[in-house]
Structure formats: C-alpha cells, structure tokens
Amino acid sequence: MLTYTDYSVSSDILNDAINSLPDIDCRESLNFPTGQFFYDPWEIKEEYKGTVWETILDSLEGPKGEARLIKLKQGEAYPSHSDLDDRWHLSLVGNNSFLINLETKEMHETIVDGKWQLMNAGIKHTAANFGSTDRIQLVVRKLLPLVEIIDPVKIRITLIDKTEDRRFLFDDIISPWLNYSFKTGVIKDFVGKDLSAELTIERNALDRLKYILASENKFKMEIIDNG
C-alpha cells in the first residue's frame, strides 16, 4: 500500500517546515486548482511562494495535484475508505501513528524521516494516531492520467437512496474500481458531484462495473452518450 520513492527532503528543510507549520484544525491546502480538479496541475498559493513549503513541493518532480497539510489528533482514526487517486505522503509530526491496510490487516508506521512515500489509495484503508502528539502529514494528490478511449461510452453513476453516509458508500464501493480503472486506462473525463459521478468508459469495461453495482445495490448507472 505504501512504497518509498526516490524523493526526499533534507533534515534542515524538514525542521524548517516543522517550525513553520501554520495553525490548522484539520486540513490546510497549500495550492489551488487551475482547471479540472483531478487532471490539471495545481498552483501554490501566494502566501506559500518562496517558503519552505514551495521547496518541499518542488522536491516532487512533475505536475502535482492538491497538496494538503492534514492533522490527525491524538486517539483519532478515519473511517474505512479508499480514494480514486493515489497520493504522496511526507510525515512531518507524530509518533506511534499508522496507515492501516484494511484488506490485508497490515499496519504501516508513518515515520518522520524526510522521505516521500507513494500510497496506493485504491486499497481500503484508515489512519490512526495512537501517539503522544498530533500526527501531521503533507499529502499530495497524484494527477489522474489523460488517456484516449477507443470505444467510449459516457455514463452517470448515482446513489439510489439519499443517505447521510453517501460519501462512505462511494469511497467503499466505487472508489476502488475507479482507482484501478484510471491506472488501466479505461476511463477518462471523471467529474464527481454530490450524489453522482460522470465519466467516459471503454465499452468492454462496462460489465465489471455493472457487476459491482448489482452486487451492492447502492448505486445505479445510466448511459448519457452511447458513442
């Protein structure tokens, strides 16, 4: 689920970042979108230009998506979920905190070592802080790939019942399939909405999605454009 990359920051830069942490309650975005949320590079906010945060973001090569400082307080954990896009993680503060693979029951300790890790976020997971202090990480979204679809079908996926846990259901049922499908190049033009999502998919990948939806009976699919 987590793999170390060749990207890192020096101990001096890491210490500068720790000493320059903004006051955040839960999350703080360091950049802003310039176009499509999941596809187009994000630009660093004016207040963070020329700071240690720009230096750290530049330690990752290539265009990047949303970059957020995320705090998990002592004794807290996230609900089970998966994400449609993978993320880079850099640990800044914390001890005895873990990312947990809920499919294999493996725990991955988040260590403050200046090394970027890449997370396969399509795996159902959680994060938990069992430590003596807040856990703070810099998490950067990996932009979704731009692909060509040979036999396109545009579809809409919609939650059947308007429930309070709709985000949980989407991340539990749809996001693992989305994450895998982006990586295998069978979907493009994804747009997420409150209770639905629209995307273009290869026709030969429809059966797998139909199977997932039918087995859970929480979402329905409709064809918007049959090509």
Side-chain angles (χ1 to χ4, degrees):
M1 185 176 75
L2 274 177
T3 56
Y4 275 107
T5 71
D6 293 330
Y7 306 123
S8 63
V9 297
S10 69
S11 57
D12 289 342
I13 292 174
L14 187 63
N15 288 331
D16 284 347
I18 294 169
N19 293 326
S20 303
L21 281 167
D23 185 21
I24 57 174
D25 179 49
C26 184
R27 293 175 174 84
E28 165 71 11
S29 289
L30 302 182
N31 52 8
F32 61 91
T34 61
Q36 296 182 82
F37 186 95
F38 293 105
Y39 292 93
D40 293 322
W42 288 48
E43 185 174 330
I44 192 166
K45 291 179 179 178
E46 191 65 34
E47 60 264 37
Y48 296 117
K49 287 183 178 179
T51 70
V52 66
W53 301 111
E54 185 171 30
T55 300
I56 289 178
L57 288 179
D58 286 345
S59 69
L60 285 174
E61 292 183 357
K64 291 167 280 290
E66 182 184 25
R68 294 179 295 172
L69 293 168
I70 301 179
K71 178 192 288 187
L72 188 64
K73 296 178 182 179
Q74 292 174 263
E76 288 187 339
Y78 296 133
S80 167
H81 69 285
S82 58
D83 301 292
L84 59 91
D85 51 353
D86 289 348
R87 287 100 190 271
W88 288 284
H89 285 247
L90 180 69
S91 295
L92 300 171
V93 177
N95 58 72
N96 291 314
S97 61
F98 299 84
L99 281 166
I100 304 170
N101 184 329
L102 294 174
E103 297 179 10
T104 63
K105 314 305 180 187
E106 293 177 287
M107 297 174 65
H108 302 267
E109 188 172 8
T110 51
I111 301 170
V112 181
D113 57 7
K115 298 178 181 178
W116 284 101
Q117 291 179 287
L118 182 61
M119 179 181 181
N120 178 358
I123 295 171
K124 292 180 184 179
H125 62 276
T126 184
N129 182 4
F130 307 120
S132 60
T133 185
D134 292 335
R135 165 193 179 264
I136 302 177
Q137 290 203 318
L138 177 56
V139 179
V140 181
R141 292 178 185 267
K142 190 174 183 180
L143 293 174
L144 296 181
L146 298 172
V147 300
E148 292 296 325
I149 302 296
I150 298 171
D151 189 7
V153 180
K154 187 172 183 179
I155 62 170
R156 180 184 294 117
I157 303 170
T158 308
L159 188 66
I160 295 173
D161 297 318
K162 295 183 179 181
T163 62
E164 291 298 321
D165 60 349
R166 57 185 181 270
R167 177 61 185 272
F168 177 88
L169 290 173
F170 190 91
D171 287 344
D172 187 61
I173 299 170
I174 307 298
S175 288
W177 172 82
L178 283 171
N179 188 291
Y180 176 79
S181 297
F182 284 124
K183 291 172 181 173
T184 53
V186 298
I187 57 176
K188 69 172 187 176
D189 298 338
F190 173 84
V191 178
K193 301 183 179 180
D194 185 34
L195 293 174
S196 66
E198 295 182 3
L199 56 124
T200 300
I201 182 172
E202 286 283 7
R203 194 178 304 275
N204 61 13
L206 274 174
D207 286 344
R208 176 60 182 166
L209 175 58
K210 290 177 181 178
Y211 173 80
I212 293 171
L213 298 180
S215 63
E216 298 290 347
N217 198 31
K218 298 293 185 181
F219 293 86
K220 62 181 179 180
M221 185 197 77
E222 58 184 306
I223 294 177
I224 303 172
D225 187 344
N226 203 20

